[in-house]
Amino acid sequence: MCEPVIQLSNVSFTYPGEENPVLNEVSLTLNKGNFIAIIGSNGSGKSTLCKLFNGLIPHYYSGDYFGEAMVCGLSTEQSTVAELSKAVGYVYQDFENQLVRPTVMDDAMFTPLNYGYQDYKERGERALRMMGLYGVKDDFIWSLSGGQKHLLALAGALAMDPEILVIDEPVSQLDPHHARHIYDILKRLNEEHGKTIIVIEHHADFIAEYCNEVVLMDCGQVKWKKTVREALSSVETLLELGIFPPQVTQAAWQITRYLGINQSKETLLPITLKDAIDWFIAEKRSAAKSNEEPLKLPGEKKDVSNPIVTAEDIHLSYRTIQKKLLPVLDGVDLNIYSGESVAIVGNNGAGKSSLLKLIAGIVKPTGGYMQVNGQSLKGMSPEKMARHTAYVYQNPEEMFIEDSVEKEIAYYLNAHQVPNSEQRLHEMLNHFRLQELKDKDARLLSGGQQRRTALAIGAAMQPAIMLLDEPTANLDIATKQEMLHVLSSLKDKVGTVMIATHDMQLVAEWASRVIVMHQGHIIADGTKEQIFADSRLLERAGLVSTQLMELSLALELPEICYTLDEFMAYFSASNQVELKEEKAWTSFEGRLTASP
């Protein structure tokens, strides 16, 4: 028998100063022990909905509130946030604001200590072990990577052993290995400990593999609640709202349309890689003959005569409060050439962001030699380096100091005394589609709009090299696709672009060169075809292939497909899709079980 743990009845909420409610007569029942994904486009009300669960609405956020919310038998209006927090653990999208103590251990046990639990220390230690952070329990918070901080915020919530755990974007800043680790933990909490897990998630492949229910939000209302298979098979509905199902689901959906297969509303599509391989094998339908050649993406031109970045035996260390040197980069040798689109990948703490900051001149190497655009880093101030490089922070709001988008761009242009600054300003507003937003405060824009503004600031300098740290973090999939087009358009304004990212789909679709880092070293450097073909390398660096790559390999296509367009091009160029089940599965399972 299903036992409700959350019941919302006709709940509406409007933020102060807003005309339209962000939640509009929402009614929803969530049952105990389920693993639920809340999905929806940006601004649909997902995060606001979840803030009802622990009483932040109506107690913390002021506004017009109507309706009734019951959580674990408690009325959220009549209960305090402190009372509700014993039952509901919450990890926010801006999770760094939840870290309140100086060291890792202090922070993990902070909440149970304040609630008076005598076993507060044991609770903190247990949570850190679950997150894989026990080895850094005595480290200071500021020394952690962004991914480690995210893990610590989750550890703090787990230390209270709540009945319900709500996580807003649980894997937004984690490498693929740690992302799966997080979801494996959530799965264990759900299945072995009966916890109700609620995630706000844009990564449909994780939803497909781990969740059992999906709630779709649209314009402040619950559009529907369905089982995960039914939800992700609703491809047309999702795409209309800018929500992208798993790649394999999209591939199967496109092929049913290509072959003219009648698909009723009740037809369920594959949502996991295993499902997709079974689905394609079971179909064994002939595709229409075509003279199309497999889609080939043009190679990028680069000038290899003069490296734009040269690094020789570069070392970088930070001095901790205990006066010890903490090595971050250890003997890095690297040449970057004009015209390249370079992705730096690797697990959390590998040194990706540090390498970008070094190239930007924000930090100085503690050993070795580096030259950027013909200039030695030795004796160069960050201000002088800004004439050659533009660094876009992982959190773009850190770059904003004015009260409008137009003023933000103009400030940097004027600060660097760029000629024809007025003309350049209007070019940037038009190029990055910011004209309609030019009078808005950049700090109040959506995540995608903030990214576009930050890129416009950097591109306005027309630097020799643009450096971006996690350009797609915390963005929904539709906005990520938009960012892919924006990144491609940078070629008109910037000679070389380098990004540090965990987004393997972005790497697959955008990068001409991939640099893999691990523990401060570069352990691989090559094309995406070379990198993704090396399973041992991917395992070592905490990386994974995308679903479409794995599907291409399992179906033994002539080449690995990185985009749906490539997949459909190969499909339409072939005479038929006939696969031998045993052969396909032997190949696929072999990669899954390959020893590291």
Side-chain angles (χ1 to χ4, degrees):
M1 181 177 178
C2 297
E3 178 185 343
V5 289
I6 295 175
Q7 292 177 291
L8 309 179
S9 301
N10 299 316
V11 174
S12 296
F13 182 74
T14 306
Y15 286 109
E18 296 291 333
E19 295 183 3
N20 300 317
V22 68
L23 296 177
N24 189 7
E25 296 188 356
V26 171
S27 294
L28 176 67
T29 298
L30 301 179
N31 292 325
K32 182 177 181 179
N34 279 350
F35 200 137
I36 305 140
I38 310 290
I39 66 173
S41 55
N42 284 346
S44 60
K46 305 184 297 296
S47 295
T48 303
L49 175 74
C50 289
K51 287 181 174 66
L52 295 171
F53 302 158
N54 64 350
L56 288 181
I57 296 175
H59 296 296
Y60 184 79
Y61 292 94
S62 60
D64 296 328
Y65 174 84
F66 304 98
E68 182 181 40
M70 300 291 295
V71 177
C72 294
L74 300 174
S75 166
T76 59
E77 269 196 290
Q78 298 174 10
S79 304
T80 66
V81 173
E83 290 172 332
L84 292 167
S85 293
K86 293 180 179 180
V88 182
Y90 203 127
V91 180
Y92 302 94
Q93 188 171 343
D94 51 348
F95 55 86
E96 289 197 37
N97 289 335
Q98 293 180 250
L99 308 180
V100 296
R101 298 293 296 161
T103 69
V104 171
M105 186 63 202
D106 284 341
D107 197 83
M109 64 185 186
F110 178 77
T111 304
L113 172 63
N114 277 271
Y115 274 93
Y117 291 112
Q118 293 186 353
D119 61 343
Y120 65 89
K121 185 174 181 180
E122 289 77 10
R123 287 171 175 262
E125 289 179 345
R126 182 172 63 248
L128 289 179
R129 291 184 189 279
M130 292 179 70
M131 294 295 104
L133 293 175
Y134 191 76
V136 295
K137 66 183 179 67
D138 297 322
D139 288 8
F140 287 94
I141 299 296
W142 60 265
S143 69
L144 302 179
S145 68
Q148 289 173 317
K149 290 177 183 177
H150 204 164
L151 292 168
L152 179 56
L154 183 53
L158 285 175
M160 285 296 293
D161 194 26
E163 175 68 29
I164 302 168
L165 191 58
V166 183
I167 310 100
D168 194 344
E169 296 280 3
V171 300
S172 62
Q173 295 190 32
L174 297 178
D175 63 65
H177 173 76
H178 283 102
R180 184 162 294 279
H181 176 63
I182 285 287
Y183 266 100
D184 286 339
I185 290 171
L186 297 178
K187 180 180 180 180
R188 188 165 69 249
L189 289 169
N190 175 247
E191 295 181 352
E192 298 180 9
H193 301 278
K195 304 296 184 186
T196 303
I197 308 295
I198 301 171
V199 295
I200 300 174
E201 185 58 87
H202 296 305
H203 295 80
D205 47 343
F206 283 115
I207 294 173
E209 188 169 348
Y210 290 93
C211 300
N212 54 34
E213 276 192 337
V214 178
V215 174
L216 175 62
M217 294 288 295
D218 182 38
C219 297
Q221 296 183 316
V222 173
K223 192 173 181 69
W224 42 247
K225 181 181 76 170
K226 295 182 178 181
T227 65
V228 65
R229 186 78 178 273
E230 292 173 323
L232 296 181
S233 294
S234 305
V235 178
E236 290 190 56
T237 299
L238 297 178
L239 291 179
E240 285 173 2
L241 297 175
I243 303 167
F244 287 74
Q247 286 184 317
V248 293
T249 309
Q250 295 180 64
W253 179 71
Q254 287 196 20
I255 286 174
T256 60
R257 300 173 74 204
Y258 175 81
L259 296 177
I261 301 172
N262 291 325
Q263 184 187 0
S264 67
K265 291 184 177 179
E266 290 74 28
T267 301
L268 299 181
L269 295 170
I271 63 173
T272 66
L273 183 59
K274 178 182 181 302
D275 287 343
I277 295 172
D278 290 341
W279 187 88
F280 277 95
I281 292 170
E283 286 295 321
K284 291 186 179 178
R285 297 178 182 269
S286 295
K289 292 186 179 180
S290 170
N291 293 322
E292 295 181 49
E293 292 296 325
L295 182 64
K296 297 286 186 180
L297 296 181
E300 293 193 350
K301 296 179 181 179
K302 61 182 181 181
D303 179 8
V304 297
S305 59
N306 266 323
I308 196 168
V309 176
T310 297
E312 298 176 356
D313 195 28
I314 285 293
H315 293 258
L316 177 65
S317 299
Y318 295 116
R319 192 170 295 279
T320 67
I321 291 178
Q322 293 94 347
K323 307 298 183 182
K324 296 180 181 178
L325 279 178
L326 177 68
V328 179
L329 298 177
D330 187 11
V332 170
D333 293 306
L334 180 66
N335 285 323
I336 302 293
Y337 301 96
S338 181
E340 290 191 303
S341 300
V342 183
I344 305 175
V345 300
N347 43 22
N348 292 108
K352 304 184 298 294
S353 297
S354 295
L355 180 58
L356 290 190
K357 289 179 179 178
L358 200 63
I359 295 171
I362 296 172
V363 297
K364 300 294 183 184
T366 51
Y369 172 78
M370 176 171 280
Q371 180 175 289
V372 177
N373 200 29
Q375 303 295 316
S376 171
L377 284 188
K378 188 175 182 180
M380 286 285 284
S381 66
E383 291 78 17
K384 289 183 179 179
M385 282 305 301
R387 300 172 187 172
H388 308 277
T389 66
Y391 181 83
V392 179
Y393 287 81
Q394 186 169 333
N395 300 312
E397 59 269 22
E398 293 180 22
M399 301 176 67
F400 303 148
I401 55 178
E402 294 285 356
D403 59 5
S404 75
V405 169
E406 186 175 42
K407 290 180 182 178
E408 297 287 2
I409 303 172
Y411 173 84
Y412 285 86
L413 287 169
N414 294 330
H416 292 279
Q417 299 178 342
V418 175
N420 303 317
S421 59
E422 282 294 323
Q423 179 183 347
R424 187 81 60 84
L425 171 61
H426 292 297
E427 285 179 4
M428 293 301 104
L429 290 173
N430 289 326
H431 187 81
F432 291 97
R433 296 182 295 106
L434 295 168
Q435 277 287 359
E436 295 183 359
L437 303 171
K438 67 178 183 178
D439 297 323
K440 301 281 188 181
D441 189 326
R443 287 159 292 199
L444 302 179
L445 299 179
S446 69
Q449 292 167 338
Q450 286 187 345
R451 300 277 178 189
R452 292 212 312 269
T453 302
L455 287 172
I457 291 171
M461 304 297 105
Q462 291 191 343
I465 182 168
M466 177 87 87
L467 308 159
L468 298 91
D469 197 354
E470 292 289 355
T472 59
N474 299 321
L475 300 182
D476 63 30
I477 302 301
T479 311
K480 285 185 179 183
Q481 290 298 112
E482 178 189 19
M483 286 304 302
L484 181 62
H485 294 302
V486 172
L487 285 172
S488 298
S489 74
L490 281 175
K491 293 178 182 177
D492 298 334
K493 305 293 180 185
V494 182
T496 301
V497 180
M498 296 180 67
I499 64 173
T501 185
H502 294 310
D503 188 341
M504 293 300 103
Q505 187 57 39
L506 174 62
V507 174
E509 295 192 28
W510 174 81
S512 63
R513 178 179 172 188
V514 183
I515 295 172
V516 184
M517 298 194 67
H518 181 63
Q519 295 181 352
H521 298 271
I522 292 177
I523 60 172
D525 184 350
T527 65
K528 59 191 177 188
E529 289 82 6
Q530 294 169 327
I531 298 301
F532 285 113
D534 191 337
S535 60
R536 291 177 181 269
L537 172 66
L538 298 180
E539 176 74 22
R540 182 182 176 192
L543 307 176
V544 294
S545 302
T546 66
Q547 281 190 332
L548 213 53
M549 294 181 209
E550 289 290 350
L551 184 60
S552 303
L553 290 168
L555 302 187
E556 297 187 329
L557 296 185
E559 292 185 16
I560 294 176
C561 295
Y562 297 97
T563 68
L564 284 170
D565 286 342
E566 290 179 18
F567 186 84
M568 288 303 296
Y570 277 123
F571 182 86
S572 62
S574 63
N575 291 327
Q576 59 184 4
V577 179
E578 289 193 14
L579 308 166
K580 294 182 179 179
E581 181 172 4
E582 181 178 353
K583 190 173 182 181
W585 264 111
T586 300
S587 174
F588 173 61
E589 290 182 325
R591 285 192 305 282
L592 288 183
T593 58
S595 58

